[in-house]
Amino acid sequence: MTKPAKQLPYHTIREIFTRFEASEPEPKGELDHTNAYTLVVAVALSAQSTDVGVNKATKELFKIADTPQKMLDLGLEGVIEHIKTIGLYRNKAKNVIKLSQILVDEYDGVVPNSRAALVSLPGVGRKTANVVLNMWWRYPSQAVDTHIFRIGNRTGICPGKDVDAVERAIEDHIPVDFQQHAHHWLILHGRYICKARKPVCGNCIIKDLCPFEEKSE
């Protein structure tokens, strides 16, 4: 693994996110959803799967099961039938049914909006909770995935030895006026430009601000 870059200074980070904002003022998550519940389910299903694959699997599922009770009425086998094209589908289907039951029994079918309550649901980790809090309730939480972890350490925007450290680095170093969309800008940059094996540095709008030594053309 390449040695992580040093934490970039304030003015450099501000310039980076100024450029991200100019390029994409309102970045959006790429998982299809219709309400807080379908967002929770979609993000939980996306673990070790692509957003495209999850969207394909949930297109028909969410038409008939967009609430916890409707999902319970569909049943485990019904959920499996819809999501069997994505990885770990059996275990994910079990978690969807379990979290739906908890939402019905303990939250009157309403998705809670505290991180602690969200992560108590089966199949929902801190990253999933942060995505839901950010995308649905517009709370500036930072969902660190493999893309953000990679480019955070590669560029020095938010270096850290683990995802928790990277999350804290985002919160501590990125100016607050960019916090709401920070993780979306970083995910999109990592997904399409700052790729793991061969970053597309020639199309990178922050190339001149990035200390990464293995830049491609």
Side-chain angles (χ1 to χ4, degrees):
M1 177 179 175
T2 304
K3 183 179 179 180
K6 292 182 179 179
Q7 176 67 58
L8 292 174
Y10 174 82
H11 292 294
T12 303
I13 291 178
R14 173 161 283 285
E15 176 60 23
I16 286 171
F17 282 89
T18 296
R19 295 183 190 182
F20 283 158
E21 183 177 53
S23 176
E24 185 88 35
E26 291 286 333
K28 305 293 183 184
E30 298 183 324
L31 285 171
D32 295 337
H33 60 282
T34 58
N35 54 31
Y37 172 69
T38 55
L39 178 58
V40 170
V41 172
V43 181
L45 293 178
S46 70
Q48 300 182 49
S49 301
T50 66
D51 289 356
V52 172
V54 172
N55 288 341
K56 184 177 180 180
T58 59
K59 181 178 181 180
E60 297 302 320
L61 174 64
F62 289 161
K63 288 180 180 179
I64 59 176
D66 61 352
T67 69
Q69 186 59 59
K70 289 178 182 177
M71 195 69 75
L72 293 175
D73 292 342
L74 180 61
L76 178 61
E77 292 305 317
V79 176
I80 287 175
E81 185 62 28
H82 279 90
I83 70 168
K84 62 185 180 181
T85 55
I86 64 176
L88 307 174
Y89 67 92
R90 289 190 181 278
N91 190 55
K92 289 177 179 179
K94 291 178 182 178
N95 283 335
V96 167
I97 291 295
K98 288 177 182 177
L99 73 83
S100 298
Q101 191 68 62
I102 291 172
L103 289 175
V104 168
D105 293 344
E106 300 182 20
Y107 297 97
D108 296 322
V110 178
V111 176
N113 63 351
S114 79
R115 186 182 287 117
L118 285 169
V119 298
S120 72
L121 299 173
V124 178
R126 185 179 180 90
K127 185 184 81 170
T128 297
N130 282 345
V131 171
V132 175
L133 291 172
N134 183 288
M135 290 181 61
W136 193 256
W137 283 285
R138 299 190 66 80
Y139 177 76
S141 53
Q142 308 300 333
V144 178
D145 69 352
T146 55
H147 296 301
I148 294 180
F149 185 79
R150 177 179 69 256
I151 69 173
N153 282 288
R154 180 182 278 175
T155 66
I157 292 173
C158 47
K161 64 182 184 208
D162 54 39
V163 293
D164 291 336
V166 170
E167 181 181 332
R168 179 58 60 85
I170 295 174
E171 294 174 345
D172 287 351
H173 293 281
I174 295 175
V176 294
D177 47 318
F178 297 119
Q179 289 276 336
Q180 178 62 52
H181 296 311
H183 92 273
H184 277 130
W185 281 317
L186 291 170
I187 287 172
L188 293 172
H189 192 66
R191 183 174 291 167
Y192 298 110
I193 301 297
C194 199
K195 300 177 182 180
R197 294 186 178 180
K198 191 175 181 181
V200 191
C201 298
N203 294 336
C204 179
I205 61 175
I206 62 168
K207 182 179 180 180
D208 58 312
L209 303 173
C210 175
F212 186 51
E213 296 179 353
E214 301 173 31
K215 290 187 176 74
S216 65
E217 293 301 324

